[in-house]
Amino acid sequence: MTRPKNNHFRLTLSEDKTVVQLTISASSPEKAIELYEGLEQVIIQMMRVDLELDWEEDNPDSQQ
């Protein structure tokens, strides 16, 4: 099987709407690693923001 010349993305949501799945076919192993590392950072940042929002909701008196 030949490698794709472009990156291909597939984003799906399960029927019960509890699972989001992203599949990427990268044009090269190097591009796959680059995409992985970039997405990892985005997910970490999203989790950090979500935790901060949860903390603010649980501690409304701490906001200035």
Side-chain angles (χ1 to χ4, degrees):
M1 183 175 175
T2 61
R3 290 186 183 146
K5 294 183 181 186
N6 298 310
N7 301 315
H8 297 276
F9 298 83
R10 181 172 180 213
L11 184 62
T12 57
L13 179 63
S14 65
E15 283 188 35
D16 64 0
K17 296 181 177 45
T18 60
V19 177
V20 176
Q21 186 172 9
L22 173 62
T23 303
I24 303 172
S25 297
S27 58
S28 69
E30 296 81 12
K31 187 64 176 176
I33 291 168
E34 180 183 324
L35 289 165
Y36 175 87
E37 290 173 347
L39 287 167
E40 182 180 43
Q41 292 304 310
V42 168
I43 291 168
I44 288 169
Q45 184 61 31
M46 287 173 53
M47 291 171 59
R48 187 173 292 137
V49 167
D50 193 42
L51 286 171
E52 288 172 2
L53 291 173
D54 285 348
W55 188 87
E56 288 174 4
E57 287 175 6
D58 293 343
N59 301 282
D61 295 335
S62 68
Q63 296 180 13
Q64 297 178 353

